[in-house]
Amino acid sequence: MATEYASSGEYIKHHLQNLTLGKLPAGYERHDHHGNVEVLSQSTLTFAHNAQEAKDMGFWALNVDSFAFSFILGALFLLLFAKAAKNATTGAPSGLQNFVEWIIEFIDNSVRGSFSHRNALVAPLALTVFMWVFLMNLMDLLPVDWLPFAATAAGVPFLKVVPSTDPNVTFGMSLSIFFLVLFYSVKMKGAGGFFSELAFQPFPKFLFPVNLLLEGVGLIAKPISLALRLFGNMYAGEMIFILIALMFGGGWILAVFGGALQWAWAVFHILIITLQAFIFMTLTIVYLDMAHAEHH
C-alpha cells in the first residue's frame, strides 16, 4: 500500500493523522489536491482534510476515530465479561470463563499487593483500566494498511486505529484517575490535611511556599507521566510498524526482510502491549493507595 503514496513522508503522515471533526473559522481558505481554493463563508463543522486543518480547528476538535475505537473496545470488554458472568458454571467452564476468571484473579492479586485500604471501587477500576488499555494497545498488532486502506476506499480520508497513540485518549484516562486521587485525598484526609501534606513537607513549615511548589509539581507530574508513558511507547511502536511497512515497496529483498522483521517486532510488541497496560493499572492502584493513606 505504501507505493500508492507520492513519497514515504506522505505515507507516514497519512497513517499518523487522526480523522478530526471540528469547526474551521469563517473566511478560512481550504485548498484541495488540485490547487483549487475554497473560502468558507461561515464557521462550518467539517472533517479536516490535512494536519494543518486539524490544528486550525483548535482545542474543541474531536478525533472521531480515537473516540469510536475507544468506545467499541470498551463495549467489547463489557460484553465479553458480562457474557462470561451470565454463562458462568461450577461445572466444566468454557474457554471464555477460564480467561475471565484468570484475569479477575490476576487483578485481585495485584490490588491486594498494592492497595492496603478498603475501597470497593479500586478493583473494578483496576480491571477496567487494564482491559481497556490492553485492548486499545492490541489494535497495534493489526497490519497498519488494512483498516486505513478500507476507510480510504469508503471515502474516509484518515483513520488511526490505535487509540492509545492519541495523547487526547491517554491524557483523558490519566486525568480521570488524577481527579479520583484528588477526591479521595480530600475525602480521607480532609481539605486541611491534604493541604498540610503538600505544604509542610519535606522542609520545615516556615518554608511552606517551597514545599507547596515541590509537592504541587510532583502531584501534577503524576497524570502527565502516566499519559505520556503510555502514549510514547505505543506511538513509537506504531511508527516502527509503519516504517517496516515501507520496506514492502522497496523490492522483493526488502519485502522478505520486512516480513520477517514485522513478525519479530509483533511478537516482541505483545510484551510491550501487555506491560503498558499493567504499568498503567499498577500506577493507578498505587496513586489511589497514596490518596487513602492517613495524614500524619
Side-chain angles (χ1 to χ4, degrees), residues 206-240:
F206 69 88
L207 290 176
F208 80 90
V210 178
N211 291 331
L212 197 59
L213 176 63
L214 293 177
E215 293 296 323
V217 169
L219 182 66
I220 295 173
K222 289 178 181 178
I224 295 176
S225 63
L226 196 62
L228 290 181
R229 181 184 291 107
L230 176 60
F231 162 72
N233 280 278
M234 298 314 302
Y235 188 88
E238 179 75 355
M239 178 63 77
I240 290 175

Side-chain angles (χ1 to χ4, degrees), residues 39-286:
V39 179
L40 301 180
S41 59
Q42 58 183 354
S43 183
T44 306
L45 186 65
T46 182
F47 286 104
H49 289 182
N50 51 56
Q52 184 59 48
E53 286 191 8
K55 179 180 178 181
D56 293 337
M57 285 177 176
F59 177 79
W60 296 109
L62 174 67
N63 289 340
V64 178
D65 43 9
S66 294
F67 180 84
F69 280 110
S70 297
F71 179 83
I72 292 170
L73 294 171
L76 176 63
F77 154 65
L78 294 176
L79 289 173
L80 287 177
F81 276 64
K83 181 179 179 181
K86 182 179 180 180
N87 299 329
T89 176
T90 55
S94 64
L96 177 60
Q97 183 178 336
N98 275 329
F99 172 75
V100 169
E101 288 179 350
W102 175 74
I103 290 292
I104 291 176
E105 183 179 358
F106 166 70
I107 298 298
D108 186 61
N109 290 334
S110 298
V111 172
R112 290 178 185 274
S114 303
F115 191 77
S116 54
H117 303 85
R118 296 180 65 87
N119 189 324
L121 173 70
V122 174
L125 176 64
L127 174 64
T128 302
V129 166
F130 178 81
M131 287 303 303
W132 205 7
V133 173
F134 176 78
L135 289 173
M136 288 193 288
N137 293 350
L138 193 64
M139 296 296 288
D140 210 9
L141 294 183
L142 290 176
V144 295
D145 286 320
W146 283 9
L147 291 182
F149 178 77
T152 301
V156 179
F158 304 103
L159 189 71
K160 278 184 69 176
V161 302
V162 188
S164 48
T165 60
D166 184 351
N168 295 286
V169 172
T170 59
F171 270 97
M173 295 183 68
S174 65
L175 286 175
S176 299
I177 293 167
F178 180 62
F179 291 140
L180 282 175
V181 169
L182 293 180
F183 171 77
Y184 282 110
S185 293
V186 174
K187 179 180 179 180
M188 304 303 294
K189 304 165 187 176
F194 179 52
F195 176 78
S196 63
E197 192 176 71
L198 295 177
F200 300 146
Q201 61 178 14
F203 301 116
K205 291 184 178 181
F206 69 88
L207 290 176
F208 80 90
V210 178
N211 291 331
L212 197 59
L213 176 63
L214 293 177
E215 293 296 323
V217 169
L219 182 66
I220 295 173
K222 289 178 181 178
I224 295 176
S225 63
L226 196 62
L228 290 181
R229 181 184 291 107
L230 176 60
F231 162 72
N233 280 278
M234 298 314 302
Y235 188 88
E238 179 75 355
M239 178 63 77
I240 290 175
F241 276 122
I242 293 173
L243 293 176
I244 292 174
L246 282 171
M247 299 176 68
F248 290 95
W252 70 269
I253 296 178
L254 280 179
V256 171
F257 180 69
L261 190 61
Q262 186 177 49
W263 278 104
W265 176 245
V267 171
F268 176 71
H269 202 54
I270 293 174
L271 175 62
I272 297 176
I273 286 169
T274 308
L275 184 60
Q276 287 304 310
F278 177 74
I279 290 173
F280 202 100
M281 177 201 68
T282 301
L283 288 177
T284 298
I285 299 171
V286 170

